[in-house]
Amino acid sequence: MHRLLTMKRLSVLFLCTFAVAVGLTFAWQGLVKAPEERCEASGRWWDPEGRECAKPISIAEITGRPIGVSRAEASDAKNRELIAIEDQLAQRKAARDADAARQRAALAEQR
């Protein structure tokens, strides 16, 4: 009588299942775990949700503010810069208005 699951077939089935399990373990290690470890070893941040390796960005790169300068100090410096620009524009406008007034006076004398 022939049985379906003989000892030889069971051992081959077990070895095949074991080989597939070992292969899946190595695939998971190579595709899922290894990129995370390489990313963290290089000093970057690993995002498990998006599976992305991201470089940390300094807040100074985003704001353009030098390291060690507080937000208030940077804001004051920017405000002083804007006031200087406004003063220059006011001086140019005053010079332009004075020139226009001088030219009007010259035209009025000619009449």
Side-chain angles (χ1 to χ4, degrees):
M1 180 150 113
H2 294 288
R3 292 190 176 197
L4 180 63
L5 295 175
T6 63
M7 190 56 137
K8 185 176 182 180
R9 286 184 181 164
L10 279 174
S11 63
V12 169
L13 182 65
F14 173 76
L15 287 174
C16 289
T17 305
F18 182 74
V20 168
V22 168
L24 288 175
T25 303
F26 280 117
W28 179 80
Q29 177 69 25
L31 297 174
V32 176
K33 197 67 176 160
E36 176 181 356
E37 291 171 354
R38 281 194 306 266
C39 178
E40 290 177 353
S42 67
R44 297 181 182 185
W45 292 340
W46 177 255
D47 177 25
E49 292 176 5
R51 296 190 39 80
E52 296 180 43
C53 186
K55 176 186 172 194
I57 299 175
S58 169
I59 192 71
E61 293 178 31
I62 297 170
T63 61
R65 185 172 68 220
I67 296 174
V69 175
S70 71
R71 183 184 298 177
E73 292 169 348
S75 180
D76 289 341
K78 191 58 100 169
N79 287 338
R80 282 192 299 274
E81 181 182 333
L82 291 175
I83 289 171
I85 291 171
E86 288 175 353
D87 290 343
Q88 288 176 356
L89 290 174
Q91 289 172 359
R92 288 180 188 168
K93 184 175 187 250
R96 186 181 64 228
D97 291 345
D99 188 43
R102 184 188 52 79
Q103 289 177 4
R104 280 190 202 106
L107 286 173
E109 289 177 12
Q110 287 179 356
R111 288 185 194 181

